[in-house]
Amino acid sequence: MNENSPPQPNSVERVQRNMLAALERRLLNFLCRQLPPWVTPDTLTGFGMAGSLAIFAGYVGSNVSPAWLWLTLAGFVIQWFGDSLDGSLARYRHIERPSYGYFVDHSCDGLTTLLILGGMGLSPYVRLDVALIALAGYLLLSVHAFLYARVGGQLKLTFLAAGPTELRFVLIGLTAAMMLLGASPGLFGKVSGFDLFVGTIGSILILLFVVHTMGTARDLAKVDRRP
């Protein structure tokens, strides 16, 4: 491999310093010990994607009845179980496939994000344009993480001490609030409190992308400074 070749996925260090990381790791290790042999990482990946589809269906179905949001809540649990355990199980059983796992896992993450925020934008609770702002912010931050894995050898999974698990808790709380408060626009006319919340989160994600991109570019300029 020459000096211009990108680092291989198995050489990329995963950086995860979110608030729940240690507790979640203990839980995942326990679950890995309980899973029967017929459950494979690919099985769990498929299970996680089924959860993502359930989230989407629940949000879209809430146009008919708020009771559909129970499906969304169940989908978040299913999606966490499959998405968090597939790589953990592969490492626990020492059957990692670094390139395949890296590619499939993050491809599924992108599709899951589309299903979650697209479904939310098609629900009666959040405007589609606001949901797309949040989608753009999340995908931009993902782009930064993947680019930094190439130039810095680290895959950063945590921003502002929060990672995917903390974000799921936020979305679960938001969905529960939808069930309790309903789809009324409230005090902001056509823009609901849910719109403001989701739009603010999306704006923060975009701002984080800009700040981290500028900081990384500044650091790389020092390293690559020409003589």
Side-chain angles (χ1 to χ4, degrees):
M1 184 172 62
N2 63 51
E3 63 181 7
N4 294 320
S5 298
Q8 296 301 306
N10 57 339
S11 68
V12 174
E13 178 189 2
R14 290 165 57 93
V15 179
Q16 194 166 6
R17 302 190 181 98
N18 49 304
M19 294 179 289
L20 298 175
L23 178 62
E24 184 180 28
R25 174 50 48 201
R26 289 195 293 271
L27 176 59
L28 292 175
N29 289 339
F30 169 79
L31 292 173
C32 285
R33 293 192 294 269
Q34 312 308 312
L35 291 174
W38 59 266
V39 176
T40 67
D42 283 345
T43 303
L44 291 168
T45 299
F47 193 69
M49 286 308 303
S52 302
L53 290 169
I55 294 169
F56 177 82
Y59 278 135
V60 174
S62 66
N63 286 283
V64 177
S65 169
W68 276 87
L69 292 176
W70 285 108
L71 178 61
T72 294
L73 293 177
F76 278 119
V77 176
I78 294 169
Q79 197 276 329
W80 169 84
F81 186 87
D83 182 58
S84 299
L85 267 176
D86 53 3
S88 298
L89 184 64
R91 289 186 289 272
Y92 177 78
R93 293 180 178 173
H94 305 292
I95 54 173
E96 301 99 316
R97 290 178 288 175
S99 297
Y100 170 83
Y102 184 91
F103 178 80
V104 171
D105 185 54
H106 294 298
S107 296
C108 290
D109 286 345
L111 183 55
T112 290
T113 306
L114 173 62
L115 289 170
I116 292 173
L117 290 169
M120 192 179 293
L122 294 173
S123 77
Y125 301 94
V126 177
R127 290 165 47 132
L128 181 59
D129 53 353
V130 173
L132 291 178
I133 291 173
L135 176 63
Y138 188 91
L139 293 181
L140 280 174
L141 210 53
S142 297
V143 167
H144 171 79
F146 300 144
L147 289 174
Y148 193 82
R150 165 64 178 87
V151 301
Q154 291 183 330
L155 180 61
K156 296 188 289 186
L157 301 174
T158 304
F159 295 91
L160 296 179
T165 298
E166 286 79 6
L167 184 56
R168 288 187 189 95
F169 274 110
V170 171
L171 292 173
I172 287 171
L174 178 64
T175 304
M178 292 173 180
M179 299 174 72
L180 291 173
L181 300 177
S184 173
L187 300 176
F188 304 100
K190 293 183 179 180
V191 178
S192 70
F194 298 125
D195 292 323
L196 290 176
F197 182 84
V198 173
T200 299
I201 294 295
S203 299
I204 290 173
L205 295 178
I206 293 172
L207 180 61
L208 283 172
F209 169 77
V210 172
V211 170
H212 282 276
T213 296
M214 293 176 63
T216 301
R218 184 174 58 250
D219 294 340
L220 292 174
K222 295 176 183 177
V223 174
D224 291 346
R225 183 172 294 158
R226 296 176 179 177

